[in-house]
């Protein structure tokens, strides 16, 4: 039986979305009826479309077994995306084997937040999601495709691709992951070296050796940050093949899953026997399933922004109350770094997403009655893929956790409620990732130190200015101010202060990485400082209370809201490292709690 809260939240999302969802579905039905333009192109247009198709030219011109449009985010700047270099040829060969064809419809940008952390380039990161959506839309706009496959993994990339897929929601859409890199040194050991470097206890040579041992080869970073949260979502929401998320790159099973995904894309096109457009997969129930998965795994706070924007692209209206209510009934079932010592390879080996989905279905916390690219019913995603004679077969997944220090049952969770919390109060609305914060650190009341950029925080730390309990406020980091960069580079110094016995919290209208977690943080504060939100009225020494248990974010000092808002000089955010190109994005972007979108 479906949990009452899950049912109630789903019903209110359906009611809230009716005015947008109905017209969206009507547009998708009309597009499906019109079909791809391939057969209606002029001879010249068809010749242009097929000229680069090599051995597939004749099939494209004379057959109609189905043509796959590939949207790829391949580059070798991202370890997670480097394996995609091989995927287009695998997909073409797989399509030919069943009488179809495949073409790379377009490549889209994909940046690595791990490279740009703490630099001006990070100010383009959130906006890149909308650029990715638009670029993918350009690729699919040729309208010569019967299905689409999307090659993407990392932080803003999957959300951007999902937004684009819904713009072409009459097409089936399958997401083909590349998988996580094999395990290097432990994420906890890496974090300890970072903290020692921040404290001046080790040099850059030791830090570099540690980082290279952690990030050592192709594949997704192995901690449970935004990239791996994305992979979880694609499985919970029915856009991956079952069990595909965490199979390592360049392995026989990984390649077989890529082949199976390409052939499944043709099977569920309008030319196949099981037409399943993405507009039918990504309905309100699928988004609720995704939010439940986010809480149960202790996933990245970035998804509280991305899921809102993703849903809106399909005519579905989510708000942070939905996340908060679902968190209250969703148990935390996983301990993956930074919520524990294990990485995603250990999680996968312990039973992974298949075991977790089975547990949540048994507990009535997921909708089973959904469409997926694998067929009807989320219960299909309790199965594990196995390689048999070179092809993928799905078998029943484990019924018991293979390591209860990493993965637990609904009956005996790590904690009874989800890993994310919504905060509100006199300072505004915010979110907090609490799954990795020890209970004794989940409520902090202390004086604030106010900063307008993260470099000033680092300078104050180096100068020895943090000697007592403190809530560090970093404002003018919202989407309108500077694109809402992640402030992950502050984590080591805040962790050092906490390790010294100080009560420490972070409050910001910016973001933190999905890899952050040990420090109590109230992030995504809305309204942001540049819009005159209460955060813009704080002064050093004001008392704040951040209470993740009760979901409160309160100004304790009297009279703060009567002050004029502080105005910051943001001219330094306007130029350099590509920021010049994004002035219109900063001017047009919406608030974080509505998805921080420009489209």
């Amino acid at each position: 039986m479906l949990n009452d809260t899950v049912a109630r939240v789903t019903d209110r999302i359906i009611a809230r979305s009716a005015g947008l969802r109905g017209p969206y579905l009507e547009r998708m039905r009309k597009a499906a009826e019109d079909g791809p333009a391939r057969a209606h192109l002029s001879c010249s247009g068809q010749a242009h479309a097929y000229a680069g198709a090599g051995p597939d030219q004749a099939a494209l011109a004379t057959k109609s077994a189905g043509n796959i449009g590939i949207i790829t985010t391949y580059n070798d700047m991202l370890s997670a995306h480097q394996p995609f270099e091989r995927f287009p040829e695998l997909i073409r060969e797989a399509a030919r084997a069943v009488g179809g064809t495949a073409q790379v419809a377009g490549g889209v940008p994909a940046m690595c937040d791990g490279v740009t952390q703490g630099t001006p380039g990070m100010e383009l990161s959130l906006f890149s999601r909308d650029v990715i959506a638009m670029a993918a839309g350009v690729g699919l706009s040729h309208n010569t495709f019967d299905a689409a496959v999307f090659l993407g993994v990392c932080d803003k990339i999957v959300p951007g691709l999902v937004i684009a897929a819904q713009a072409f929601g009459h097409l089936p859409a399958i997401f083909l992951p590349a998988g996580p890199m094999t395990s290097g040194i432990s994420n906890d050991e890496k974090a300890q070296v970072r903290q020692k470097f921040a404290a001046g206890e080790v040099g850059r040579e030791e830090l570099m050796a540690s980082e290279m041992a952690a990030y050592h080869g192709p594949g997704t970073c192995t901690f449970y940050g935004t990239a791996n949260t994305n992979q979880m979502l694609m499985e919970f929401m029915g856009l991956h093949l079952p069990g595909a998320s965490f199979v390592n790159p360049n392995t026989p099973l990984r390649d077989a899953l890529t082949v199976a995904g390409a052939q499944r894309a043709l099977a569920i096109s309008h030319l196949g026997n099981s037409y399943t457009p993405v507009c039918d997969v990504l309905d309100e129930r699928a988004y609720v399933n995704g939010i439940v998965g986010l809480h149960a795994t202790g996933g990245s706070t970035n998804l509280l922004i991305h899921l809102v924007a993703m849903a809106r692209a399909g005519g579905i209206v989510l708000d942070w109350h939905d996340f908060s209510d679902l968190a209250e009934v969703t148990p935390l079932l996983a301990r993956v770094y930074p919520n524990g010592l294990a990485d995603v390879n250990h999680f996968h080996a312990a039973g992974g997403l298949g075991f977790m989905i089975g547990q949540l279905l048994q507990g009535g916390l997921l909708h089973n009655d959904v469409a997926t690219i694998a067929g009807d019913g989320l219960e299909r995603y309790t199965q594990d893929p196995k390689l048999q004679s070179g092809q993928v077969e799905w078998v029943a997944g484990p019924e018991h956790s293979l390591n209860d220090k990493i993965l637990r049952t609904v009956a005996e969770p790590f904690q009874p409620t989800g890993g994310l919390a919504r905060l509100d109060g006199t300072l505004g609305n915010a979110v907090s990732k609490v799954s990795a914060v020890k209970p004794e650190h989940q409520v902090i009341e202390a004086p604030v130190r106010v900063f307008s950029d993260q470099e000033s925080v680092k300078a104050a730390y180096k100068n020895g200015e943090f000697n007592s309990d403190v809530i560090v406020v970093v404002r003018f980091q919202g989407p309108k101010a500077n694109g809402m960069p992640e402030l992950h580079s502050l984590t080591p110094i805040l962790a050092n202060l906490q390790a010294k016995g100080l009560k420490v919290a972070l409050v910001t209208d910016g973001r933190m990485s999905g890899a952050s977690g040990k420090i109590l943080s109230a992030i995504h504060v809305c309204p942001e400082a540049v819009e005159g939100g209460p955060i813009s009225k704080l002064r050093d020494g004001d008392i704040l209370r951040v209470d993740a248990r009760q979901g409160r974010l309160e100004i304790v000092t009297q009279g703060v809201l009567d002050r004029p808002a502080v105005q910051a000089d943001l001219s330094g955010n306007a130029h350099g490292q590509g920021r010049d190109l994004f002035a219109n994005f900063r001017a047009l972007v919406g608030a974080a709690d509505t998805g921080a979108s420009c489209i």
Side-chain angles (χ1 to χ4, degrees):
M1 176 180 285
L2 191 65
N3 177 276
D4 288 344
T5 298
V6 174
R8 175 172 52 82
V9 171
T10 305
D11 287 344
R12 82 178 180 214
I13 293 171
I14 291 171
R16 185 194 304 138
S17 307
L20 293 176
R21 181 70 175 168
Y24 167 79
L25 289 175
E26 288 179 11
R27 293 194 300 272
M28 295 306 107
R29 305 296 182 224
K30 177 63 165 59
E33 291 172 5
D34 292 343
R38 186 170 64 252
H40 309 296
L41 288 173
S42 67
C43 291
S44 174
Q46 290 192 58
H48 276 288
Y50 312 150
D56 294 322
Q57 276 184 293
L60 283 164
T62 61
K63 297 180 182 178
S64 59
N67 188 33
I68 298 171
I70 304 168
I71 298 293
T72 179
T73 59
Y74 162 72
N75 66 55
D76 52 21
M77 263 297 299
L78 280 76
S79 62
H81 289 219
Q82 188 278 333
F84 287 137
E85 184 176 20
R86 300 174 52 244
F87 277 38
E89 190 55 36
L90 285 172
I91 294 166
R92 291 188 195 102
E93 292 176 0
R96 289 171 192 146
V98 292
T101 55
Q103 296 176 282
V104 172
V108 306
M111 67 183 291
C112 180
D113 289 357
V115 174
T116 58
Q117 284 286 351
T119 74
M122 176 51 76
E123 296 179 19
L124 310 186
S125 175
L126 181 58
F127 292 148
S128 75
R129 181 195 66 198
D130 292 2
V131 174
I132 289 162
M134 292 186 286
V138 170
L140 294 175
S141 69
H142 297 97
N143 194 24
T144 60
F145 307 110
D146 302 288
V149 298
F150 294 88
L151 312 181
V153 172
C154 288
D155 296 18
K156 266 58 62 185
I157 297 153
V158 165
L161 294 177
V162 169
I163 290 170
Q166 289 177 117
F168 292 81
H170 62 290
L171 294 177
I174 291 183
F175 281 63
L176 300 179
M181 70 176 69
T182 55
S183 301
I185 67 167
S186 74
N187 287 291
D188 190 54
E189 182 181 350
K190 173 193 69 180
Q192 290 175 18
V193 175
R194 287 179 175 179
Q195 287 177 225
K196 289 180 179 179
F197 178 76
E201 297 173 7
V202 300
R204 187 166 292 277
E205 184 175 341
E206 291 90 341
L207 177 66
M208 189 65 188
S210 169
E211 297 291 344
M212 292 294 286
Y215 305 115
H216 61 88
T220 315
C221 306
T222 60
F223 57 82
Y224 195 56
T226 310
N228 285 317
T229 303
N230 286 340
Q231 302 316 293
M232 175 278 299
L233 283 171
M234 293 301 92
E235 204 147 325
F236 268 74
M237 296 173 71
L239 291 178
H240 275 178
L241 289 175
S245 295
F246 299 131
V247 176
N248 299 124
N250 303 318
T251 60
L253 180 56
R254 174 86 280 155
D255 287 354
L257 283 163
T258 299
V259 169
Q263 293 179 346
R264 183 62 183 168
L266 291 173
I268 62 175
S269 78
H270 68 295
L271 297 174
N273 295 322
S274 305
Y275 177 49
T276 310
V278 72
C279 65
D280 288 348
V281 173
L282 294 182
D283 65 5
E284 295 89 345
R285 294 166 297 178
Y287 277 99
V288 168
N289 285 349
I291 296 170
V292 170
L294 182 67
H295 291 312
T297 57
S300 169
T301 53
N302 282 324
L303 272 299
L304 279 94
I305 296 175
H306 296 322
L307 276 165
V308 174
M310 291 157 62
R312 188 64 65 99
I316 296 170
V317 183
L318 303 179
D319 67 32
W320 285 352
H321 290 282
D322 302 325
F323 291 79
S324 179
D325 288 355
L326 290 170
E328 288 299 313
V329 297
T330 304
L332 181 69
L333 302 185
R335 286 288 190 200
V336 186
Y337 190 87
N339 307 335
L341 297 180
D343 67 22
V344 294
N345 292 311
H346 305 138
F347 167 77
H348 186 62
L353 295 177
F355 174 80
M356 179 175 280
I357 288 171
Q359 282 293 304
L360 293 168
L361 283 170
Q362 289 177 31
L365 293 164
L366 293 173
H367 292 278
N368 187 40
D369 57 336
V370 292
T372 79
I373 60 111
D376 290 339
L378 192 64
E379 62 190 355
R380 292 175 180 271
Y381 286 76
T382 63
Q383 297 179 313
D384 276 350
K386 301 295 182 184
L387 199 59
Q388 303 288 345
S389 302
Q391 295 186 328
V392 180
E393 293 185 8
W394 277 268
V395 301
E399 296 182 1
H400 306 282
S401 170
L402 303 180
N403 188 332
D404 64 7
K405 294 180 180 178
I406 300 172
L407 190 57
R408 290 194 180 171
T409 64
V410 167
E412 297 181 331
F414 289 104
Q415 63 186 49
T417 58
L420 299 171
R422 175 182 178 272
L423 313 179
D424 62 15
T426 48
L427 196 70
N429 299 321
V431 297
S432 182
K433 181 173 181 176
V434 295
S435 52
V437 179
K438 292 182 178 179
E440 62 266 29
H441 299 313
Q442 291 183 3
V443 180
I444 303 289
E445 182 173 310
V448 304
R449 279 289 307 274
V450 183
F451 301 89
S452 293
D453 59 74
Q454 56 187 323
E455 292 307 315
S456 298
V457 181
K458 296 175 185 177
Y461 174 78
K462 289 179 180 178
N463 292 336
E465 297 176 19
F466 297 116
N467 297 305
S468 58
D469 296 347
V470 64
I471 294 178
V472 175
V473 174
V474 189
R475 61 191 179 192
F476 297 103
Q477 304 300 305
K480 283 188 176 295
N482 64 350
M484 206 179 188
E486 289 180 349
L487 307 179
H488 181 41
S489 63
L490 297 181
T491 300
I493 64 174
L494 297 175
N496 281 342
L497 294 176
Q498 183 169 277
K500 291 179 179 179
L502 301 182
K503 293 181 178 179
V504 181
L506 174 71
V507 172
T508 180
D509 49 9
R511 295 184 294 129
M512 288 291 279
S513 167
S516 306
K518 294 181 180 179
I519 306 300
L520 179 63
S521 301
I523 61 178
H524 309 174
V525 172
C526 298
E528 64 174 289
V530 79
E531 298 227 290
I535 194 173
S536 69
K537 301 181 180 185
L538 293 173
R539 297 174 184 166
D540 286 352
D542 290 339
I543 306 297
L544 283 185
R545 182 177 177 84
V546 184
D547 186 341
R549 294 178 193 159
Q550 300 298 320
R552 304 303 296 165
L553 183 59
E554 300 287 359
I555 304 170
V556 178
T557 301
Q558 298 297 311
V560 171
L561 297 180
D562 297 328
R563 300 171 186 164
V566 171
Q567 301 295 317
D569 179 6
L570 301 178
S571 59
N573 301 336
H575 304 286
Q577 302 297 315
R579 289 179 289 183
D580 320 56
L581 305 175
F582 285 82
N584 285 343
F585 281 66
R586 290 189 292 273
L588 297 173
V589 67
D593 56 3
T594 62
S597 182
C598 303
I599 55 178

